[in-house]
Structure formats: C-alpha cells, structure tokens
Amino acid sequence: MALNPHLPLVYHPNYSFNFDPKHRFVMSKFANLFQQVKALGLVNDNLITPQLGSPDPLELVHCDNYIQDLWHNQLDDKAMRRIGLPWSKQLMARTFTAPQGTLQTARLALKHGIACHLAGGTHHAHTDFGSGYCMVNDLAFTAQTLIQSGEVTNVLIFDLDVHQGDGTAAMLAHQPYAYTCSIHCEKNFPFRKSASDLDIGLANNMQDDEYLGIVDDTLSFLLNELNPDLVLYDAGVDIWQQDGLGKLDISWQGIEKRDHLVLKRCLESNTPVATVIGGGYDRDHLRLAKRHAIVVEQAARF
C-alpha cells in the first residue's frame, strides 16, 4: 500500500538538542525520527511547526508554582532527581513547546481525521511534580484545552506505553469528559500507580497474539461505549521485546500490527485520532527512531 505524503505531521527543531548521548533518555530520537520520516517521503507541505511554548498555558492543568519553579530552575534537587533530566534552557524550550505540538496535532486530527506528532506522550508528569523523564503532561493539557474550549465534547486517551500513564490518570480524574485507558506492564514503573478510568496491567513477557487481542477488544469496546470526539493515542514503543525498560515480549511486527489496528479501529468508527510517540529506550539510537516511526508509517497507509 502506498504511503500518503499528505499525512499531517507536527514537529519542532527544538525537540532535540545537544545532550549526553549516554543518558538513558535518548534526546536525539526526535531529530532522528524526523529524518526517518523524511526518508520515507512523508515530509513536504504537510509539516506543521508548533508555536514556541511558554509556562503560562500549562497552568491550565499544572500548579502554577511548580510550572514557574521548573521554568526558572528553582526546583530542589529531589524534585529534579525524580524527573531524571538535567535542567537547561534548551530542555525548557522543548518541554514547553511539545504540549503545543500535541494540541496542534489534535486539532489537525479533528480536521483531517488523523495526524501524528513526532514527540509527546509525557504521561508521568503530575499536577505539581514531574517524574520519569516527564516534566509537563501534554496529554492532559491537550484534552483539558479542547474540552474547555468546546472544540470537543469528550476525549479518549488510549495509552499503550509499556508504563502506566499515572500522571494523566491523576490529572484528569475529575474531568468527566476525558476517559483515560492505560494498557501497560503491571510489574514496571511507576511502582505507585494512579487509577485510570480503565487500567489493564499485563504480565511480564506477554507475546504478540495475547497482547493484540487485549488491545483490539478494549479499544473496540471503548469506541462503541464512549463514542469519543477524539482519540489521543500514546503509541509507546517500549513494549518491544528488546527495549531497555520494557519487560514485555512484543515483536517489531507486533508493534506494526498494534499501530495499524488502533488507527484502523478509530477510522472505522469515524473517530479522529492524534498520535504521540511515548516511550522507547535503546542504546542504538537510529534503531529507536525507526521504532518510533512505525506509527507514522502506519498512519500514512490510511
């Protein structure tokens, strides 16, 4: 099947910057992902650059003290250790731009049916603290913005990162029009989970067939039950069998099938879907970018 070169893509050059290449979090993956998608022939007049971010819009979902202290490098060492990334001005620029990118992607999906963000999925950030390489929560911010503005009535956040979307679940617990679903490895980070509207904890070393069955059954049920105006799909690739932090046994082909299945089910039900890349860990940085490109390639097949 030919790839559609007009698939809406969202990316900002500030997503990657000069960063310790030995760090567990691969900061180069965003630029490498962009190059990978470009090599597939998917970058042309369809590429949207989000506006540069600032702290103020994030106060919609985050505690303003936390956001301002983060921006001005006034968080204490313990709070920064919990995040796991060293503070820098470049990190702040990308941290506050990426949620604008996810919001832009969601708006493009509402208009075109499908759109992909070449970043996003920072689902461990909570209202007043960051965690697990996540400083601000783009999924909660996007859902809350669209609901409050009346652009959507209800949103389904379908989180298939290998780690539970604890921050998103906690931040949207009292938002009746955002439904959070997390399908994750149960015995994995975060060790203190938050309650999503639906949590499915998977056993270690689960393989493709069982996993894909659970994803399909769950998504089909939720689309039918909720009839959402939009799906925000966190396509984390840390489910892969060789991922550094994964603990599941999903093949590369299993990821391809999963992403195809999720997008197909959304489009079959005429539900716009916006994708974010979520987590992925690999000492082979180019291989990681190819893994993150799977969801974009599958989206371009529709």
Side-chain angles (χ1 to χ4, degrees), residues 2-274:
L3 299 182
N4 175 8
H6 304 297
L7 170 72
L9 300 176
V10 176
Y11 172 75
H12 197 289
N14 78 6
Y15 288 171
S16 289
F17 58 90
N18 196 11
F19 190 78
D20 178 3
K22 293 194 177 75
H23 196 286
R24 173 72 88 169
F25 187 85
V26 181
M27 196 63 75
S28 63
K29 72 181 187 177
F30 309 102
N32 288 335
L33 171 58
F34 175 74
Q35 292 303 327
Q36 179 65 25
V37 170
K38 200 173 177 184
L40 290 169
L42 296 177
V43 174
N44 45 66
D45 59 357
N46 60 333
L47 186 72
I48 310 294
T49 305
Q51 65 187 62
L52 272 173
S54 65
D56 298 353
L58 273 297
E59 291 176 7
L60 179 69
V61 289
H62 284 282
C63 165
D64 55 354
N65 285 357
Y66 166 66
I67 287 295
Q68 295 300 333
D69 285 352
L70 174 62
W71 179 256
H72 294 293
N73 193 21
Q74 289 171 348
L75 290 179
D76 62 32
D77 290 347
K78 187 180 172 192
M80 288 307 294
R81 273 199 307 278
R82 188 169 192 175
I83 289 166
L85 297 170
W87 192 94
S88 69
K89 285 189 170 171
Q90 295 103 311
L91 182 62
M92 289 305 98
R94 79 151 321 279
T95 292
F96 286 94
T97 300
Q100 297 295 338
T102 298
L103 178 59
Q104 184 90 43
T105 307
R107 285 177 168 146
L108 287 163
L110 289 169
K111 186 175 177 185
H112 299 283
I114 190 166
C116 298
H117 188 195
L118 305 187
T122 47
H123 61 172
H124 298 310
H126 286 249
T127 305
D128 56 353
F129 65 91
S131 172
Y133 310 137
C134 302
M135 295 184 157
V136 297
N137 195 308
D138 61 310
L139 295 166
F141 168 72
T142 296
Q144 186 71 15
T145 300
L146 294 174
I147 290 165
Q148 239 171 273
S149 65
E151 291 168 80
V152 299
T153 302
N154 62 335
V155 175
L156 166 61
I157 297 175
F158 195 59
D159 189 337
L160 298 188
D161 192 281
V162 84
H163 305 109
Q164 197 232 13
D166 59 323
T168 315
M171 290 171 80
L172 294 173
H174 302 296
Q175 171 47 271
Y177 300 107
Y179 189 99
T180 53
C181 172
S182 179
I183 302 178
H184 52 267
C185 181
E186 182 62 30
K187 292 191 169 125
N188 205 334
F189 182 88
F191 300 106
R192 183 180 295 163
K193 313 274 194 276
S194 304
S196 308
D197 290 303
L198 177 60
D199 282 303
I200 299 177
L202 309 175
N204 286 13
N205 307 312
M206 183 177 283
Q207 296 183 326
D208 291 13
D209 289 352
E210 188 180 0
Y211 176 73
L212 292 167
I214 290 168
V215 169
D216 195 10
D217 289 350
T218 306
L219 181 58
S220 298
F221 170 77
L222 291 175
L223 288 170
N224 190 44
E225 196 74 7
L226 301 170
N227 192 24
D229 291 336
L230 174 70
V231 171
L232 295 177
Y233 172 39
D234 186 340
V237 293
D238 37 16
I239 61 164
W240 186 47
Q241 55 203 174
Q242 293 180 52
D243 187 89
L245 298 176
K247 300 190 182 177
L248 295 184
D249 191 13
I250 308 303
S251 70
W252 194 285
Q253 292 73 27
I255 300 176
E256 291 174 339
K257 286 177 183 170
R258 176 198 71 172
D259 290 348
H260 187 84
L261 178 70
V262 168
L263 299 171
K264 183 172 173 228
R265 290 287 177 255
C266 290
L267 296 174
E268 279 173 351
S269 69
N270 292 319
T271 308
V273 55

